[in-house]
Amino acid sequence: MAIQATYLDMPLDASDLDVENLAYFKHCAAHDFHLHRCGACGLLRYPPTTACPWCASPKSDWVPVEGSGAVHSYTEVHHAIQPAFKSHTPYLILLVDLDTQKGQPSEHEALRVVGNLVTPDGRLAPPEMVCRVGIGTRVHMVFTDVTAGLALPQWTIDEGATQPTKPWRYPQE
């Protein structure tokens, strides 16, 4: 069944043909993070795809994955393209190295998942939270409920984790 919704005035749409994403978002709607595990090589993959990017096998199963990791990279948005996001600037889009499968399939790789920096209740993070995050900041996944059957996986600061003393950030104005 297709999903159509609006998040901060931005339309979201997953058609009936988008089988992998529909299954992915079904798990997210239940606030469970699941990814495909390849039936041949055993590696996890993100985003959901029809075949393994490592060995090209089409066989896979959905498995639960812990949503915790460290910020690998980020972009700080100051000029929102979507008008509804303007009141939330600056906001961060994070690329997070999951603790799961770090250093696989090679020592320089990791399972990396994208999401916004949000408060623990799933709202875009305010500026005072944004300025605390940089490369290496420990985060964990939370879900922003959008509509029935759809929640977006997002990231919030893991207040219980040991954080880097001074995470690297782009120079500030």
Side-chain angles (χ1 to χ4, degrees):
M1 175 177 227
I3 298 174
Q4 292 183 328
T6 302
Y7 175 64
L8 297 177
D9 291 334
M10 185 173 70
L12 304 175
D13 182 26
S15 77
D16 288 334
L17 299 176
D18 198 357
V19 177
E20 290 81 16
N21 278 315
L22 288 173
Y24 173 74
F25 285 116
K26 181 179 178 184
H27 289 292
C28 291
H31 292 200
D32 289 324
F33 187 53
H34 282 66
L35 294 175
H36 273 143
R37 174 175 285 143
C38 179
C41 71
L43 291 173
L44 296 166
R45 62 184 183 249
Y46 173 87
T49 60
T50 56
C52 179
W54 315 115
C55 73
S57 172
K59 297 177 184 169
S60 66
D61 294 306
W62 288 101
V63 296
V65 177
E66 185 178 349
S68 63
V71 175
H72 176 79
S73 187
Y74 70 92
T75 188
E76 188 168 334
V77 179
H78 288 268
H79 304 286
I81 294 171
Q82 289 289 338
F85 282 57
K86 186 175 182 176
S87 64
H88 299 285
T89 58
Y91 63 90
L92 291 184
I93 302 168
L94 305 178
L95 179 62
V96 174
D97 284 344
L98 292 183
D99 294 334
T100 302
Q101 197 170 293
K102 190 156 175 78
Q104 291 180 338
S106 77
E107 64 180 289
H108 302 291
E109 295 178 89
L111 190 58
R112 295 183 177 122
V113 177
V114 174
N116 292 321
L117 177 67
V118 297
T119 59
D121 63 355
R123 288 179 283 129
L124 284 178
E128 59 274 9
M129 187 175 177
V130 166
C131 68
R132 293 177 49 206
V133 174
I135 306 302
T137 300
R138 299 290 305 169
V139 293
H140 70 90
M141 189 173 283
V142 295
F143 295 90
T144 301
D145 292 315
V146 177
T147 190
L150 178 63
L152 300 176
Q154 312 268 32
W155 298 103
T156 195
I157 298 171
D158 188 343
E159 299 293 353
T162 302
Q163 297 291 348
T165 324
K166 187 171 168 80
W168 186 90
R169 287 185 50 83
Y170 291 103
Q172 300 297 300
E173 294 179 51

